[in-house]
Amino acid sequence: MSKRSEAQSITTLPLSPQEERKSRMVKYSIAMGIRTLCVVSLLFVQGWWILVMVAAALVLPYLAVVIANTQSRGAVQAMAERPYAALPPAPRPGPPSEPPHIS
């Protein structure tokens, strides 16, 4: 009377470590590129735009790390199947019993 589990689908598997690392690096690089543009734009902007660019240059590193480390929408945590979890617990040994008495 065993229950049959559904087979693991290839589309439900998480990204490989290399693909995940590449995705995080791209997200981080884009955010740091925007930060670099903010810093360079400080040479050309005037007025309250300077404050906007300074604020963006200060906040973007934190946001870049948070965005890069969030899990992608397509990634699903794979659950490892544990076939031994379906087994009944092993009997525990009780106290030693006396041998049968023969008269």
Side-chain angles (χ1 to χ4, degrees):
M1 293 184 212
S2 65
K3 295 181 182 178
R4 296 183 75 187
S5 63
E6 293 183 26
Q8 183 81 33
S9 171
I10 192 68
T11 58
T12 61
L13 293 176
L15 294 173
S16 70
Q18 293 83 10
E19 290 173 340
E20 184 182 358
R21 188 177 313 115
K22 181 181 177 186
S23 171
R24 286 186 290 146
M25 287 176 62
V26 167
K27 291 176 187 177
Y28 186 80
S29 298
I30 289 171
M32 288 297 98
I34 294 170
R35 180 182 187 222
T36 303
L37 290 174
C38 289
V39 171
V40 170
S41 69
L42 287 172
L43 300 172
F44 305 105
V45 297
Q46 296 176 354
W48 60 272
W49 280 103
I50 291 175
L51 295 175
V52 172
M53 295 303 152
V54 168
L58 292 175
V59 172
L60 272 172
Y62 171 76
L63 291 178
V65 171
V66 171
I67 290 170
N69 288 331
T70 57
Q71 189 177 31
S72 65
R73 283 181 264 148
V76 176
Q77 292 292 335
M79 294 290 292
E81 283 197 33
R82 297 184 180 110
Y84 59 84
L87 298 175
R92 295 182 182 232
S97 61
E98 293 183 25
H101 183 68
I102 301 178
S103 1

